[in-house]
Amino acid sequence: MKVRNVCEQDLMRKSGVIAAKALKRATEAIKVGVTELEVDKIVTQEIYKQGGDLSYKSVPGYKYATCITVNEQVVHGIPTDRKFESGDVVSVDLAVVYKGWHTDCAWSVLVSGQGTGDSGQLEKTKFLKAGEEALWDGVAQAIDGNRVGDISSAIQERIEKNGYSVVRSLVGHGVGRSLHEDPEIPGFGEAGKGPVLKSGMSLAIEVIYTSGLPDVVLEKDGWTFSSADKSLGGLFEMTVIVGKKEPKVLTHW
Ligand code: MF3
Ligand code: CO
């Protein structure tokens, strides 16, 4: 729960610019016929080109730039040679380290192709819109004097109002000198509860949700979490710095 000084914030901001560019490239690259590994490669090249390094290398046993999840998969998917298909809901999660400072972000998109626009696709668009709105609702609470629970409850309210569920077993987190720091930032909880936020704290706010029930199961690969009921998984994450009047979002393009 550290407050970052101006110098440190500047380095985190630079780390965030790299992450944002890489995430933008990734979402643009997700098209019918493209593989997860191809997207991971694009992200890797973009991060290196910008002078950053892969934060996920700091996770023991993990060697990719990204986690990529499709449809009922929710988080921590290892990139494979699976090809995206029209109508897939795809999430990309990535983190950058720049001069020792980590930033973490994720986004979800719908793969469009022939035959899009049917009712199933409209449902998926609505699902993704709710996740993005929940993210911005949560981010807006990252203000000096607020509490972690204010972020959590804002996210939960938006997700549940739309008829979806926040996953309970996976949470957002502090970020900075390492990828995962204190405090935990759940996407569910009560306003006014939890640790007090101070200007200069750096947080990875995450909306991890499903279109059905909140339960997730670990797949056989030992990494990927999928929804237990096979409903859609969505993931939106931004690294922010808590501000006096408004937060600074570091990883948005
Ligand atoms: N990005 C994930 C998070 O938001 C962490 C992924 S760790 C990995 O906390 F090893 F699975 F890549
Ligand atoms: Co994270």
Side-chain angles (χ1 to χ4, degrees), residues 2 10 61 67 75 84 98 100 129 165 226 232 240 246 250:
K2 292 218 170 59
D10 192 50
C67 295
V75 288
F84 302 122
Y98 174 76
K129 185 166 170 272
S165 300
S226 297
L232 290 175
V240 308
E246 54 183 30
L250 303 187

Side-chain angles (χ1 to χ4, degrees), residues 56 76 93-95 104-105 171-173 175 179-180 204-206 237:
Y56 289 173
H76 297 174
D93 191 353
L94 65 90
D104 190 7
C105 53
V171 294
H173 48 92
V175 62
L179 177 60
H180 294 130
I205 297 176
E206 307 198 33
E237 176 180 22

Side-chain angles (χ1 to χ4, degrees), residues 102-198:
H102 297 252
T103 51
D104 190 7
C105 53
W107 208 258
S108 302
V109 295
L110 173 61
V111 181
S112 57
Q114 274 188 334
T116 51
D118 61 38
S119 67
Q121 308 268 343
L122 287 174
E123 264 305 307
K124 290 173 187 173
T125 304
K126 183 177 161 273
F127 173 69
L128 294 178
K129 185 166 170 272
E132 183 180 351
E133 285 174 351
L135 174 68
W136 298 127
D137 286 352
V139 164
Q141 295 296 321
I143 296 168
D144 190 273
N146 273 3
R147 288 174 183 265
V148 168
D150 295 319
I151 298 173
S152 306
S153 71
I155 292 171
Q156 182 174 18
E157 203 173 294
R158 176 72 73 171
I159 292 296
E160 291 182 355
K161 229 182 232 167
N162 281 277
Y164 308 125
S165 300
V166 177
V167 171
R168 299 301 199 269
S169 53
L170 300 149
V171 294
H173 48 92
V175 62
R177 278 313 231 174
S178 24
L179 177 60
H180 294 130
E181 297 184 356
D182 285 349
E184 285 195 345
I185 307 176
F188 55 94
E190 275 181 64
K193 296 268 167 74
V196 178
L197 304 174
K198 292 255 166 300

Side-chain angles (χ1 to χ4, degrees), residues 26 30 35-41 43 56 62 64-71 73-80 82 84 89-94 107 221 224 235:
I30 294 167
T35 71
E36 296 172 350
L37 277 166
E38 285 164 354
V39 172
D40 188 75
K41 194 169 170 200
V43 168
Y56 289 173
Y62 206 77
Y64 299 94
T66 64
C67 295
I68 301 182
T69 42
V70 182
N71 297 334
Q73 299 175 341
V74 184
V75 288
H76 297 174
I78 304 172
T80 68
R82 176 178 181 162
F84 302 122
V89 168
V90 181
S91 306
V92 185
D93 191 353
L94 65 90
W107 208 258
D221 64 15
T224 316
L235 183 62

